Amino acid sequence: MAAAAPPPPPTPTPTPVSTVPLDSTPVGHPLFTRIRLAQPSDVPHIHKLIHQMAVFERLSHMCSATESSLSSTLFTSLPFQSFTIFVLEVCSQPFSDTPRYHDPIYPPNVQTLNLDLPIDDPEKEMFRSGDGDAVIAGFVLFFPNYSTFLGKPGFYVEDLFVRDCFRRKGLGRMLLSAVAKQAVKMEYGRVEWVVLDWNVNAIKFYEEMGAKILPEWRICRLTGEALQAYGNGL
Amino acid sequence: MAAAAPPPPPTPTPTPVSTVPLDSTPVGHPLFTRIRLAQPSDVPHIHKLIHQMAVFERLSHMCSATESSLSSTLFTSLPFQSFTIFVLEVCSQPFSDTPRYHDPIYPPNVQTLNLDLPIDDPEKEMFRSGDGDAVIAGFVLFFPNYSTFLGKPGFYVEDLFVRDCFRRKGLGRMLLSAVAKQAVKMEYGRVEWVVLDWNVNAIKFYEEMGAKILPEWRICRLTGEALQAYGNGL
């Protein structure tokens, strides 16, 4: 996949109206969120998320990633120097302090959302992550790219994915913002990703956030036997 | 720039027919080529090539790279681990052995072309590089990208440029092949780049070499004030 897919929701969807009786006090349902650097122990969850993304895109026949292939190719450099993954955890309780996530390069980013209704996560056992009912809700994988015209690096967002039951709550935007914020912090020049041309809602969403869609460029890909043949032909 | 630009020639163009008198022995003009890893001392040449590329693309108003910005952002990691540049040198004589180019990670790649006519390089003084009449004729800048579907890295070719007087001799293809060969050596899954959709000759060339053009994906770019605003809004 060479895409931030699926994109964040095209327009913010109101959270469902509470169905509590009119005479009772409306109850808010806080959703505590934490964005942190992925660690090697997250690979089984990341692997499942990648396969869900492939199914969502109806491209599961193209998805050959395994836990082993991910483990051997990720986490090979310092965060932000190469392939970097943020995972997004959510919990109905505040996150307890987790010393192993005290990364000086990227301390976990905690925010709280208030929802009218709690979220029913049918996969909570599969994506359980640490304390209480914390689960992994999504991830973003990105890495540095380079603009010769600017003479400086940027970030390319290869994939951004939020699990089905957590969509339309601004979590995708939160993950993308975390990458943009890191780019600004590092004085990088750009954040880039790709979108499918027929996904007009996503395009509208990206344009509203200030991104430019470059209409004329097409991706060229050399892979499989063609890559082998060309690479060996020198 | 987010492009391999300008592309290699769409179809091999015959080298000019020799104009030596019919009664003399045809004389071949060897062009010795060497592809090697760029070094910090190449930055002034690379900077000039980037600006020539910007002029060629009529985008020089977008090109703000300086020698200083290039020097401070390139050469920050081992070759192939991040931003990597191959420079292409050409010479009318065989290259002498240059110990400082004996990089164990990528020994220089030397090939010889036979041209019917010598090349008149109007910029030979500006691009002189070491021994004899050796000059820098072009470069390619690339870096690792990552496919979550494959669960492995690839290379993304950000820029590929060959100076005007050296075009249509297969040198662009030679640079691209060097990247593909390195990808195969490292067991990477893909080599990718972008092309302008109206550049039908380049698209035809890429397809003939076995590359697939992905018709539906569009690049999204967040930069400048929009990036600042979005990155600070978290």
Side-chain angles (χ1 to χ4, degrees):
Chain A
M1 226 10 255
T11 50
T13 303
T15 50
V17 176
S18 170
T19 57
V20 293
L22 286 175
D23 59 347
S24 66
T25 309
V27 180
H29 293 271
L31 186 71
F32 297 88
T33 72
R34 176 165 69 180
I35 292 176
R36 62 169 173 82
L37 284 168
Q39 301 193 342
S41 59
D42 294 311
V43 161
H45 287 146
I46 294 166
H47 180 243
K48 287 190 205 101
L49 292 170
I50 290 169
H51 275 267
Q52 286 198 352
M53 185 172 65
V55 170
F56 177 88
E57 296 176 334
R58 300 181 187 181
L59 293 172
S60 53
H61 58 287
M62 289 179 65
C63 187
S64 56
T66 62
E67 289 187 23
S68 168
S69 68
L70 295 167
S71 292
S72 64
T73 53
L74 298 171
F75 312 107
T76 57
S77 71
L78 286 174
F80 311 124
Q81 303 306 303
S82 183
F83 319 130
T84 304
I85 297 178
F86 286 153
V87 290
L88 168 69
E89 295 170 306
V90 299
C91 191
S92 66
Q93 306 290 324
F95 286 92
S96 60
D97 195 39
T98 313
R100 75 172 185 278
Y101 299 146
H102 283 196
D103 194 307
I105 297 179
Y106 190 80
N109 180 329
V110 177
Q111 292 183 73
T112 308
L113 301 180
N114 271 299
L115 308 181
D116 286 340
L117 285 177
I119 293 170
D120 180 24
D121 179 3
E123 301 171 318
K124 61 187 172 193
E125 292 306 323
M126 201 191 300
F127 286 98
R128 188 173 293 284
S129 173
D131 318 324
D133 62 354
V135 293
I136 293 201
F139 81 108
V140 59
L141 185 150
F142 59 106
F143 49 80
N145 64 3
Y146 195 86
S147 163
T148 39
F149 276 17
L150 298 179
K152 62 164 77 172
F155 280 135
Y156 183 83
V157 178
E158 173 67 19
D159 281 310
L160 186 151
F161 184 74
V162 173
R163 288 204 285 124
D164 191 24
C165 65
F166 294 107
R167 288 182 200 149
R168 299 180 182 276
K169 290 166 183 53
L171 298 176
R173 185 187 175 97
M174 205 182 278
L175 278 165
L176 197 52
S177 291
V179 178
K181 188 174 188 177
Q182 187 63 29
V184 169
K185 185 177 173 188
M186 296 174 75
E187 300 185 359
Y188 280 10
R190 294 173 178 164
V191 174
E192 294 180 306
W193 62 95
V194 294
V195 64
L196 286 159
D197 66 341
W198 48 256
N199 197 343
V200 289
N201 285 340
I203 289 172
K204 183 164 174 282
F205 172 82
Y206 293 143
E207 286 180 333
E208 282 172 359
M209 69 181 249
K212 295 251 183 306
I213 316 294
L214 310 188
E216 292 185 320
W217 295 103
R218 297 291 175 272
I219 298 166
C220 304
R221 178 178 292 169
L222 189 61
T223 189
E225 290 179 10
L227 172 61
Q228 297 290 326
Y230 198 75
N232 290 326
L234 189 60
Chain B
M1 223 14 252
T11 48
T13 303
T15 49
V17 176
S18 171
T19 56
V20 292
L22 287 174
D23 59 346
S24 67
T25 307
V27 180
H29 292 271
L31 186 70
F32 297 88
T33 72
R34 175 164 70 178
I35 292 176
R36 63 168 172 82
L37 284 167
Q39 301 194 342
S41 58
D42 294 311
V43 162
H45 286 145
I46 293 167
H47 180 243
K48 288 190 205 99
L49 292 171
I50 290 169
H51 275 267
Q52 286 200 351
M53 186 171 64
V55 170
F56 177 88
E57 296 177 334
R58 300 180 187 181
L59 293 172
S60 53
H61 58 288
M62 290 179 63
C63 187
S64 56
T66 63
E67 289 187 23
S68 168
S69 68
L70 295 168
S71 292
S72 64
T73 53
L74 299 170
F75 312 107
T76 58
S77 70
L78 287 174
F80 312 123
Q81 303 305 303
S82 184
F83 319 129
T84 304
I85 298 178
F86 286 153
V87 289
L88 168 69
E89 295 170 304
V90 298
C91 192
S92 67
Q93 304 291 325
F95 286 93
S96 62
D97 194 40
T98 313
R100 75 172 186 276
Y101 298 145
H102 283 196
D103 194 307
I105 297 179
Y106 190 81
N109 180 328
V110 177
Q111 292 182 72
T112 308
L113 301 179
N114 271 299
L115 308 180
D116 286 341
L117 284 178
I119 293 170
D120 180 24
D121 179 3
E123 301 171 316
K124 61 187 171 192
E125 291 306 322
M126 202 192 300
F127 286 97
R128 187 173 294 282
S129 174
D131 318 323
D133 63 356
V135 293
I136 293 202
F139 80 108
V140 59
L141 185 149
F142 59 106
F143 49 80
N145 64 4
Y146 195 85
S147 163
T148 40
F149 277 17
L150 297 181
K152 61 164 77 174
F155 279 134
Y156 183 82
V157 178
E158 172 67 20
D159 282 310
L160 185 151
F161 184 74
V162 173
R163 290 203 284 124
D164 191 24
C165 65
F166 293 106
R167 288 182 200 146
R168 300 181 182 276
K169 291 167 181 54
L171 297 177
R173 185 186 176 99
M174 204 182 277
L175 279 165
L176 197 51
S177 292
V179 179
K181 187 174 189 178
Q182 187 64 28
V184 169
K185 185 178 172 188
M186 295 173 76
E187 299 185 0
Y188 279 11
R190 294 172 178 165
V191 174
E192 294 180 308
W193 62 95
V194 295
V195 65
L196 286 160
D197 66 341
W198 47 257
N199 197 343
V200 289
N201 284 340
I203 289 172
K204 182 164 174 281
F205 173 82
Y206 293 145
E207 286 181 331
E208 283 173 358
M209 68 183 251
K212 294 250 182 303
I213 315 297
L214 310 187
E216 291 185 321
W217 295 103
R218 297 291 173 272
I219 298 166
C220 303
R221 177 178 294 170
L222 189 62
T223 189
E225 290 178 10
L227 172 61
Q228 298 290 325
Y230 198 75
N232 290 326
L234 189 62

